[in-house]
Amino acid sequence: MSLKKKTAQPPPPAGRHETVRREIISAIAGRPLSIKYISAAVKISEKEIYAHLRHIGRTVNSRGQRLVITPAECRRCGFVFRKREKFKRPGRCPVCRAETIKEPLFGIR
Ligand SMILES: [Zn+2]
């Protein structure tokens, strides 16, 4: 049996989403980060960060900035996952089938 703690929490109070987005924006404004690092910096799950990033893209656009995604890349053959650049880290390379994939990075420019 798993000893994992339940992570279910009550819905966040109004305004919490805005705060988290600001934290994510300031975390990635200096240098691009992977989802894993953003998750550690802001202390929310990777899944939640995906949802926030979509919103952040629109927020920074309205300020004349852009959410810049460095696509995932295969470490073995260098294949770049351009079509999969939307957030999720691919499982394996379609060309050489390696599972050593460099995670996509998210930044703001
Ligand atoms: Zn490959």
Side-chain angles (χ1 to χ4, degrees):
M1 195 181 133
S2 167
L3 294 175
K4 258 189 186 173
K5 274 185 201 160
K6 276 200 177 164
T7 51
Q9 285 169 350
R16 173 66 184 146
H17 280 308
E18 276 311 310
T19 309
V20 168
R21 281 177 198 138
R22 270 200 298 273
E23 284 175 13
I24 295 174
I25 289 170
S26 67
I28 65 178
R31 66 217 178 290
L33 294 174
S34 71
I35 290 284
K36 206 182 292 174
Y37 278 93
I38 298 169
S39 171
V42 183
K43 297 180 175 62
I44 59 174
S45 73
E46 298 186 16
K47 201 174 143 194
E48 285 176 284
I49 289 169
Y50 291 123
H52 284 307
L53 280 171
R54 292 195 184 91
H55 193 279
I56 285 169
R58 291 194 292 271
T59 304
V60 299
N61 279 349
S62 69
R63 299 182 196 166
Q65 294 177 303
R66 285 189 58 190
L67 177 68
V68 180
I69 303 169
T70 306
E73 190 182 322
C74 175
R75 287 183 195 274
R76 188 193 281 173
C77 75
F79 176 79
V80 177
F81 292 78
R82 296 201 186 281
K83 286 182 190 161
R84 293 284 299 268
E85 70 177 18
K86 291 293 172 205
F87 311 127
K88 290 256 167 153
R89 177 178 180 271
R92 70 163 60 198
C93 176
V95 177
C96 74
R97 307 207 165 268
E99 290 178 31
T100 48
I101 309 298
K102 243 190 265 175
E103 289 182 77
L105 298 178
F106 301 89
I108 289 171
R109 229 174 5 220

